[in-house]
Amino acid sequence: DGGITQSPKYLFRKEGQNVTLSCEQNLNHDAMYWYRQDPGQGLRLIYYSQIVNDFQKGDIAEGYSVSREKKESFPLTVTSAQKNPTAFYLCASSIDSGTGGRQYFGPGTRLTVT
Amino acid sequence: GENVEQHPSTLSVQEGDSAVIKCTYSDSASNYFPWYKQELGKGPQLIIDIRSNVGEKKDQRIAVTLNKTAKHFSLHITETQPEDSAVYFCAASKKAGKSTFGDGTTLTVKP
């Protein structure tokens, strides 16, 4: 999947617990993104980062947090404040050329919260 | 912000027929329009893209056309095969960091 790895593939958690999803890329890309995908819907942007130690909220950031301490890594924490956390989460990266560009996606993590 | 609408949401064709998926966008400043294919349980993969300075681009059985005036772009797949069955997403962006995706089209190619 284009040099991006996400782990684990499936994740189960109890309601009220925070959970962190891993995303690593070896493409030397500056920009990284987190999307949420619900059945029958498109990709909704949670957070994105264009450079190390900097990130911006996407369209649905409430209940999520991220960090970007290394260029290769962009972990996403789903907090207990996220009301409907069960979803398929996709991480992506791109060369930050300053104009729109291709995104390379990881294989995704399916999170189930009960 | 940008709004991308994608039609149809489902499309069923016979093997060998053509398939066309259409997207419209709202922000005239958008300049990059990719199409992604997503197979079940996997991440989307780019299949073709086009920039706003080009009207059409072709790669074997796949082509994309862009009408900047009307703000719409389309994916054309000819001689469809069962392995083309997947969910297809269009997207529009004008700078790195913000891509807006359509809701996807589930394409089924019947043998």
Side-chain angles (χ1 to χ4, degrees):
Chain A
D1 285 291
I4 298 183
T5 57
Q6 291 185 243
S7 60
K9 189 169 179 65
Y10 299 96
L11 192 53
F12 298 88
R13 280 293 182 271
K14 293 290 187 185
E15 200 172 304
Q17 293 179 334
N18 291 354
V19 59
T20 297
L21 282 59
S22 167
C23 177
E24 305 277 332
Q25 55 100 358
N26 61 4
L27 300 169
N28 199 33
H29 286 169
D30 289 311
M32 296 187 74
Y33 317 82
W34 274 105
Y35 293 92
R36 170 183 173 134
Q37 187 175 30
D38 293 288
Q41 295 189 30
L43 283 65
R44 292 186 288 168
L45 184 64
I46 304 173
Y47 269 97
Y48 66 101
S49 167
Q50 292 180 280
I51 196 168
V52 174
N53 292 323
D54 188 44
F55 47 83
Q56 289 79 41
K57 292 182 179 180
D59 301 318
I60 55 165
E62 185 175 350
Y64 300 97
S65 66
V66 294
S67 63
R68 186 85 186 278
E69 297 176 0
K70 297 187 299 181
K71 188 175 186 178
E72 302 79 21
S73 179
F74 191 41
L76 172 75
T77 297
V78 184
T79 75
S80 56
Q82 168 50 232
K83 292 187 170 65
N84 295 297
T86 294
F88 188 52
Y89 290 89
L90 287 160
C91 179
S93 71
S94 71
I95 297 171
D96 189 355
S97 64
T99 59
R102 171 183 181 174
Q103 295 190 11
Y104 295 75
F105 286 86
T109 292
R110 188 166 298 280
L111 173 65
T112 302
V113 177
T114 57
Chain B
E2 174 69 278
N3 182 50
V4 175
E5 294 190 359
Q6 183 172 345
H7 298 280
S9 57
T10 60
L11 179 60
S12 182
V13 300
Q14 288 295 134
E15 183 176 358
D17 287 350
S18 295
V20 180
I21 303 170
K22 298 181 180 180
C23 287
T24 61
Y25 61 99
S26 60
D27 190 341
S28 57
S30 289
N31 60 7
Y32 177 68
F33 307 93
W35 285 91
Y36 294 89
K37 176 183 181 182
Q38 185 178 28
E39 297 178 344
L40 196 62
K42 298 184 179 181
Q45 300 296 311
L46 182 82
I47 55 171
I48 196 166
D49 56 7
I50 193 168
R51 292 198 179 271
S52 58
N53 58 347
V54 176
E56 184 174 358
K57 184 176 178 181
K58 190 174 181 182
D59 182 4
Q60 299 182 347
R61 296 186 298 110
I62 295 172
V64 55
T65 58
L66 171 65
N67 184 326
K68 284 194 298 182
T69 303
K71 289 189 281 188
H72 67 70
F73 57 111
S74 300
L75 176 70
H76 305 254
I77 305 174
T78 59
E79 300 171 20
T80 53
Q81 302 166 3
E83 51 265 39
D84 293 329
S85 295
V87 179
Y88 292 81
F89 291 98
C90 63
S93 66
K94 59 184 178 182
K95 65 174 185 177
K98 293 284 282 183
S99 286
T100 301
F101 288 80
D103 284 343
T105 296
T106 300
L107 173 64
T108 302
V109 180
K110 299 178 180 177

